[in-house]
Amino acid sequence: MDNVSLFLQTLVGGIGIGSLYALVALGYSMIYRSMGLVNFAHGSIYMIGTYLGIIWYRGMVMGLQVPYGVAFVIGILLTAGLGLILERIFRPLANMDLMLMLLGTIGLGYVLDNLAVIVWGAEGFAVKSPLPETPIMIGGVALLPQMLLLISVSAVLMIGLNVFLAKAKIGKAMRAAAQDRETASAMGIPVNRTNALTFAIGAGLAAAAGILAAPIVYVNPAMGSAVGLKGFAAFILGGAGSIPGAIAGGLTFGVLEAISAGFISSAYTKGIAFVIMIVVLMFRPGGIVGEVTVDKV
Amino acid sequence: MKKNAGLNKRVVLGLAFVVLLGFPLVASNRYQVHVVNMAGLYILMSLGLNLAMGYCGQINLALGAFWGVGAYTAALLNTRLGMPIWINMPVAMVLTGIVGALVALPMLKVKSHYLALVTIGLGETINIILVNETGLTGGPLGISGIQMPSLFGIPIDGDERFYYLVLVCVVIGFLAARQMMKHRIGRSFIAIRDNDVAAKAMGVNTAKYQIMANSIAAVYCGVAGVLYAHMTTYISPDIFEFKSALFVLTLTLIGGMGSLAGSVVGGLGLPIIQELLRAIGNWQLVGFGLAIMLVVLFMPGGVMGLTRRLEEAGGIRWPWARKRIHEKPELEGPNVSRP
Amino acid sequence: MKRSLVSILLLLGMLLAACAPAAAPTAAPQAAASTEPIKIAIIGAMSGTNAVLGDWMKKGVTLAVEEKNKAGGICGRPIEIVIYDDEADPTKSVNLAQKVATEDKVVAAWATTNSTSALADIPIFAQYKIVQLTNGTNVDITNKGSAYIFRANPAGPAYETPLVDFLVDTKGYKKFALVTDTSAYGKGEADYQTAALKAHGLEPLTRQSYGIDDKDFTGQLTAILQTNPEVILFGGSEVASGLIAKQARQLGFKGQLAGGSAIATPKFNENAGADNSEGVFATAPYLTNDLNDQTRAFAARYKARWNEDPEVHGANTYDGTQLLMMAMEKACPNITGEAIAAEFHKISGYQGLQGTFNVQPKGETIDKTQLGVWKGGKLTPYTQ
């Protein structure tokens, strides 16, 4: 493999994993916008969301087996539903301190992680891709169909979300409620409901990410922590609460990781990525794109 | 009445003294003493975290790394150079103090959840170095064969004897923390926590105290690390990961952030509860998580906050608090625009 | 001040209450001939990426113990197993070793499924004179000078040397890349592979490593593919190795894949996918359940009990437990760790599932492996 195709290969891998981080970071951002909550349990939601979708694809629910696309949708909807419940539980926390929210979500993480082990076992399993597993070779670069699916569906979701928030009536209502609760409420927007919807979308995005990534990685109850932490880093790197920020942060983080793993040192990858992130934050404390003001009262 | 109060206090103190001293004799086996020893280490780290975060508002989640630096310093000094704990301890304290100060530097510019991330990142980076610099640290296999200490010829081998060493360290740590908070440094910490802009305007050298706060927290963790290394005689990078920092944070919040006694309560209570519930396995952790969520929703000040709230109204106020529990809501956003 | 003291006292009170002598059996030495159960422990990874190892260990050991208990136990006493999860974390493992030694007071323990944790536990079991069994493969395990450690399977070099010899001598390969994890097992495998290559005057083109919980290996594989190897050698968990095999093929690598014990398990095949495991070479002492009558009978009993087919780890833990129980019987009625260890060292010529066992002074018991190759999703012995 010559150096150019190697570099392109790495880049593609980085964009792939970066899309995953971006979706997770988007989830963080949405939840942050809904109630100013930094959700430390988001990685666990990602994991649960993956299970909630994949179990249908694998025929693990009473033997019923559905096609991947259907499982994808079911997983997202179920996880969004979970998001609605969680928003209701955490609503009183929106009025309290960052540390308490942190603690509350840590507790939630414990609950979700261990429930997953109790229900589905600690071991985990590999998932077959619905698409052919042989890579498509373009100019010396191997493109895995599932990876292409991940990238393209992520892109669709990201663009769709942006459009939704900018143009759709509910979307605009969500933005208003996030920015200024009292005024939005005064204008007749049902703030609690829109916040709940925002939270639900955040959770759903995590599920989407996990279900798309499952055939590439491996599904087990511990799969959330690494992705959760990196997604969090991307969320902060891009600028907390910013939608384009989450996307930029996620892709940047993914590409950084891939390049440092491939060309510098695979062992120190995590460290390098974090160091770069810290340096960026020191010069731009609000993140790459900049934080979005969120009214959390 | 006043005389009685003084007497009461002394009786209580005396009782506590007896209980603490006699514990290893009452424990039914060595493992229980071991659990309490570990709890003692968590108390130390929690005290450090409380000083930095509860009193000074510095969100420092790199604790696991400081713990690791302390432990590895002791382990290396002991296994490579044969140094005993009495030398390793001060060396580790100085070293972790320096590391803590260095970590604090990037933190000066960053706020709240960004801060959390930065400290997590720094902690993880240190951890990665520990795992990968195999020549120095033994890598993932860790370092074994650390010698247990001995005092004037009496070997401190075994958890029962180590208990007293840990107890002494915890008591000293607690008293030192209390003394510090009573003096100017404590007032400066609290001023910075409550409103650092105002503090700066009033002439407080905020940078200096912020660095100090983090450095002190690191030292407490370093001490815990040295004790840990000599107590278990084997260390590996795993325990110094972020999840340990998370555990210390959790127990401090439950015990009561901003209260030194809270560190003791949380540091002693949580590891013991975890151990007691071990038998139930995964359901244990589900229950644990639910308990945390309940504490957060109904006892936001932690155990100490609860007892305080029972006596007076009001809660703990941090710079990122958006409203006090009994006050009207404010409409400002988070502390983002501060450079 | 008073408030804090009261809270602290309450806590201490709770502590004392918890310490009130629990229902644990007394410290009376088990030399008394009674029908009291003989306690052994299993400490291993029951969760996380290595959870499958813990599961296999549990199944192999439990099957052997249940069969023995049905046949009357050890001089009339049943064996009781306590199981703990160390999450493949050596510091948790050390804590648990302390616990089973001082609280549960076992006479023997399987500890653990992973070399790193096994190494960490050795001083503790040696100190408390408890027999320790493991199926970890790192050579250091028997080099620590403990009279209480026994390995139920061949050590690492027994896997890697024949594999490398075959690949170099028979297949003529010269360009090798290694990819192993950072645990004692993985690092050991990398070392043994490198040593084996050196014996042929070769050096690996690159030695890549990954953390035990990593799932994406694009970085490592990219670096490997840069060096254009003919063979990629594995040394890591079943799950990771399977994923790497899959990802390597997906990145277009067409060369040879090979590895030691982890590659010889159905979990590897499941994660790689049968297409990607095709043609992969693996060495293990127990390749398939179809080897001989003894293995077939074992497989049938295992399947009846656990509703799944056994593989090398279930087999080696079964073997190890048989050895342990043999030693226990010889030590009757003095069933203490010390006596059992002494009898254990005397065992020789035992025909187990993995082959013939001869216990060595340092704790090794067997040192032969076989070469197999994956065909159509099944591991078969390699025939020239």
Side-chain angles (χ1 to χ4, degrees):
Chain A
M1 248 194 165
D2 67 281
N3 277 333
V4 173
S5 17
L6 255 174
F7 178 72
L8 286 174
Q9 183 76 65
T10 314
L11 200 60
V12 168
I15 295 179
I17 205 107
S19 306
L20 177 64
Y21 294 152
L23 281 181
V24 174
L26 272 176
Y28 274 110
S29 269
M30 290 300 279
I31 292 178
Y32 182 69
R33 288 161 75 102
S34 89
M35 54 193 331
L37 175 73
V38 176
N39 181 11
F40 261 35
H42 198 59
S44 307
I45 295 182
Y46 162 82
M47 177 268 295
I48 295 268
T50 312
Y51 269 99
L52 287 177
I54 297 288
I55 51 176
W56 302 95
Y57 175 55
R58 273 184 117 232
M60 285 164 70
V61 187
M62 300 177 291
L64 273 154
Q65 190 170 15
V66 300
Y68 185 77
V70 177
F72 180 70
V73 172
I74 297 181
I76 293 180
L77 290 175
L78 285 176
T79 317
L82 175 65
L84 287 175
I85 299 175
L86 291 175
E87 192 272 340
R88 193 65 196 77
I89 295 178
F90 283 116
R91 203 176 289 171
L93 274 193
N95 298 331
M96 295 197 189
D97 315 297
L98 172 71
M99 278 304 116
L100 286 172
M101 278 193 207
L102 211 105
L103 186 59
T105 53
I106 292 172
L108 176 66
Y110 272 112
V111 172
L112 291 176
D113 287 345
N114 286 282
L115 277 178
V117 173
I118 292 173
V119 174
W120 293 302
E123 269 181 51
F125 43 78
V127 178
K128 270 190 85 68
S129 170
L131 301 173
E133 301 234 319
T134 42
I136 308 171
M137 301 297 291
I138 299 187
V141 177
L143 297 168
L144 189 60
Q146 183 71 32
M147 184 69 93
L148 289 173
L149 184 67
L150 169 64
I151 297 178
S152 46
V153 174
S154 306
V156 167
L157 286 173
M158 293 192 254
I159 297 175
L161 186 65
N162 262 309
V163 168
F164 175 69
L165 288 174
K167 301 278 169 52
K169 194 158 146 205
I170 308 180
K172 289 201 264 196
M174 280 163 56
R175 275 166 60 209
Q179 274 198 352
D180 190 336
R181 221 179 140 86
E182 290 218 346
T183 312
S185 186
M187 289 185 17
I189 296 177
V191 170
N192 278 336
R193 270 200 294 177
T194 33
N195 280 343
L197 188 62
T198 313
F199 199 111
I201 293 181
L205 283 170
I211 300 174
L212 285 169
I216 302 180
V217 291
Y218 181 74
V219 177
N220 72 341
M223 70 188 285
S225 58
V227 174
L229 186 60
K230 293 181 195 168
F232 177 64
F235 153 68
I236 298 275
L237 181 64
S242 155
I243 302 296
I247 300 174
L251 289 172
T252 309
F253 209 83
V255 172
L256 262 179
E257 261 199 351
I259 293 189
S260 85
F263 295 101
I264 308 180
S265 155
S266 50
Y268 279 100
T269 305
K270 251 200 323 186
I272 294 174
F274 270 112
V275 166
I276 293 183
M277 189 187 65
I278 291 171
V279 169
V280 168
L281 281 176
M282 279 175 67
F283 288 104
R284 277 190 73 92
I288 297 179
V289 175
E291 175 162 3
V292 164
T293 323
V294 174
D295 179 14
K296 297 167 222 145
V297 171
Chain B
M1 216 38 235
K2 251 208 264 193
K3 214 164 103 179
N4 262 344
L7 189 62
N8 275 343
K9 184 168 166 181
R10 257 176 274 158
V11 167
V12 168
L13 266 172
L15 266 174
F17 201 59
V18 167
V19 167
L20 284 173
L21 278 186
F23 169 67
L25 306 169
V26 183
S28 55
N29 62 55
R30 174 176 273 194
Y31 183 66
Q32 288 179 340
V33 182
H34 180 80
V35 173
V36 174
N37 284 345
M38 283 300 296
L41 298 186
Y42 281 117
I43 293 179
L44 278 173
M45 291 196 281
S46 177
L47 284 171
L49 180 65
N50 231 327
L51 288 174
M53 195 157 131
Y55 283 85
C56 194
Q58 306 293 300
I59 306 183
N60 192 328
L61 295 179
L63 303 173
F66 301 141
W67 190 17
V69 170
Y72 270 90
T73 307
L76 286 170
L77 284 175
N78 183 271
T79 53
R80 303 273 176 106
L81 298 174
M83 294 286 145
I85 191 176
W86 317 112
I87 297 192
N88 298 335
M89 182 76 82
V91 171
M93 286 171 75
V94 168
L95 202 57
T96 42
I98 296 176
V99 173
L102 288 174
V103 165
L105 291 175
M107 284 167 67
L108 292 175
K109 289 200 148 200
V110 180
K111 292 266 179 278
S112 104
H113 34 258
Y114 296 88
L115 200 56
L117 186 67
V118 167
T119 54
I120 295 175
L122 288 167
E124 288 286 279
T125 310
I126 295 179
N127 194 271
I128 290 172
I129 297 177
L130 288 177
V131 171
N132 283 296
E133 285 306 307
T134 318
L136 185 65
T137 65
L141 297 179
I143 301 180
S144 65
I146 306 168
Q147 296 159 316
M148 289 194 139
S150 67
L151 184 62
F152 308 121
I154 310 175
I156 307 186
D157 57 352
D159 286 294
E160 290 89 356
R161 296 200 181 166
F162 221 97
Y163 170 80
Y164 294 105
L165 183 56
V166 173
L167 183 61
V168 165
C169 289
V170 170
V171 169
I172 294 179
F174 184 85
L175 293 174
R178 206 154 63 107
Q179 275 306 97
M180 277 193 276
M181 290 306 102
K182 278 198 187 148
H183 289 280
R184 178 144 151 214
I185 181 174
R187 289 196 294 277
S188 307
F189 278 6
I190 297 177
I192 296 175
R193 177 192 81 194
D194 286 348
N195 193 331
D196 61 331
V197 174
K200 213 183 283 189
M202 291 199 299
V204 177
N205 187 343
T206 53
K208 167 174 136 190
Y209 284 106
Q210 280 178 303
I211 296 179
M212 222 189 270
N214 285 293
S215 195
I216 294 177
V219 170
Y220 271 83
C221 295
V223 170
V226 173
L227 288 171
Y228 180 79
H230 285 277
M231 187 169 96
T232 56
T233 73
Y234 167 80
I235 60 172
S236 78
D238 301 58
I239 200 166
F240 308 120
E241 284 177 353
F242 174 58
K243 38 188 175 158
S244 294
L246 209 59
F247 185 65
V248 176
L249 176 67
T250 306
L251 65 87
T252 311
L253 282 167
I254 291 189
M257 178 72 78
S259 150
L260 294 177
S263 283
V264 176
V265 169
L268 197 55
L270 245 68
I272 293 180
I273 293 177
Q274 244 198 356
E275 190 58 39
L276 288 174
L277 293 178
R278 186 192 281 276
I280 319 182
N282 291 109
W283 282 111
Q284 157 217 341
L285 288 168
V286 173
F288 192 61
L290 281 174
I292 293 178
M293 287 170 76
L294 287 173
V295 164
V296 166
L297 290 171
F298 300 111
M299 287 207 312
V303 172
M304 292 318 297
L306 182 66
T307 57
R308 190 177 297 139
R309 264 210 296 178
L310 290 175
E311 289 190 12
E312 40 173 281
I316 306 173
R317 185 170 168 265
W318 291 317
W320 51 83
R322 270 163 299 290
K323 76 169 192 180
R324 289 200 196 207
I325 300 170
H326 298 284
E327 283 178 7
K328 281 178 14 186
E330 305 160 46
L331 280 179
E332 45 181 351
N335 306 326
V336 65
S337 41
R338 312 259 194 87
Chain C
M1 192 56 221
K2 203 168 93 178
R3 229 187 313 115
S4 336
L5 275 179
V6 170
S7 308
I8 296 178
L9 263 187
L10 270 168
L11 247 175
L12 285 173
M14 192 182 86
L15 224 184
L16 281 178
C19 288
T26 58
Q30 293 164 323
S34 56
T35 46
E36 267 217 20
I38 303 172
K39 285 179 103 170
I40 68 173
I42 300 181
I43 303 177
M46 305 288 166
S47 64
T49 337
N50 283 300
V52 67
L53 291 176
D55 189 51
W56 283 329
M57 180 179 275
K58 203 171 54 156
K59 295 192 163 123
V61 175
T62 310
L63 182 64
V65 167
E66 283 178 350
E67 289 174 353
K68 185 58 112 179
N69 282 345
K70 261 198 274 248
I74 306 279
C75 43
R77 301 169 62 182
I79 302 177
E80 196 185 288
I81 312 176
V82 286
I83 304 180
Y84 291 106
D85 177 11
D86 73 354
E87 300 172 39
D89 179 341
T91 23
K92 292 210 172 70
S93 203
V94 161
N95 271 337
L96 289 169
Q98 291 255 3
K99 187 177 165 81
V100 304
T102 59
E103 226 179 46
D104 299 295
K105 300 211 175 58
V106 300
V107 292
W110 273 93
T112 73
T113 48
N114 306 86
S115 294
T116 320
S117 310
L119 282 166
D121 293 343
I122 289 176
I124 299 177
F125 289 116
Q127 181 194 357
Y128 286 99
K129 302 205 175 45
I130 296 175
V131 170
Q132 180 188 358
L133 289 144
T134 178
N135 56 7
T137 58
N138 189 305
V139 279
D140 282 341
I141 289 177
T142 48
N143 280 337
K144 291 280 180 191
S146 162
Y148 288 88
I149 181 73
F150 299 94
R151 197 205 304 271
N153 54 339
Y159 296 80
E160 302 301 338
T161 315
L163 184 65
V164 169
D165 287 345
F166 168 75
L167 290 168
V168 174
D169 293 331
T170 315
K171 287 289 191 179
Y173 292 123
K174 294 215 179 330
K175 297 155 78 182
F176 292 77
L178 313 185
V179 59
T180 58
D181 72 20
T182 50
S183 71
Y185 168 64
K187 193 170 168 306
E189 297 293 285
D191 288 339
Y192 314 142
Q193 287 163 354
T194 310
L197 282 170
K198 205 152 174 200
H200 289 273
L202 293 169
E203 286 227 359
L205 298 171
T206 173
R207 276 175 66 144
Q208 292 291 316
S209 63
Y210 54 90
I212 57 176
D213 281 320
D214 286 357
K215 300 282 164 24
D216 178 64
F217 309 96
T218 328
Q220 289 87 347
L221 284 169
T222 316
I224 288 179
L225 293 175
Q226 268 184 34
T227 64
N228 240 326
E230 294 166 316
V231 184
I232 299 183
L233 289 176
F234 295 110
S237 74
E238 295 67 13
V239 171
S241 304
L243 289 175
I244 297 179
K246 183 163 92 164
Q247 289 174 13
R249 292 277 183 244
Q250 285 167 349
L251 284 173
F253 178 68
K254 301 234 183 302
Q256 181 67 55
L257 303 168
S261 65
I263 314 302
T265 61
K267 224 18 165 170
F268 166 76
N269 182 48
E270 187 194 307
N271 282 298
D275 302 326
N276 300 316
S277 67
E278 187 74 20
V280 175
F281 287 112
T283 43
Y286 187 83
L287 285 179
T288 108
N289 296 316
D290 234 339
L291 240 42
N292 53 47
D293 290 332
Q294 186 184 8
T295 64
R296 277 188 279 270
F298 163 69
R301 294 197 305 270
Y302 191 100
K303 181 106 188 227
R305 178 67 179 87
W306 303 113
N307 207 12
E308 66 182 48
D309 292 315
E311 43 64 71
V312 59
H313 295 83
N316 65 28
T317 49
Y318 184 87
D319 273 343
T321 315
Q322 294 293 351
L323 291 171
L324 175 67
M325 297 191 298
M326 275 169 59
M328 280 182 178
E329 298 215 290
K330 294 251 175 61
C332 248
N334 183 19
I335 312 234
T336 61
E338 225 174 321
I340 300 175
E343 290 301 331
F344 207 117
H345 278 288
K346 296 190 199 150
I347 298 178
S348 80
Y350 170 71
Q351 256 318 105
L353 300 164
Q354 298 174 81
T356 320
F357 287 83
N358 292 302
V359 182
Q360 307 294 321
K362 290 213 277 190
E364 298 289 350
T365 61
I366 182 171
D367 61 358
K368 291 260 175 308
T369 59
Q370 295 176 282
L371 179 66
V373 64
W374 282 97
K375 280 212 178 314
K378 284 205 174 321
L379 186 61
T380 52
Y382 178 79
T383 42
Q384 183 46 291

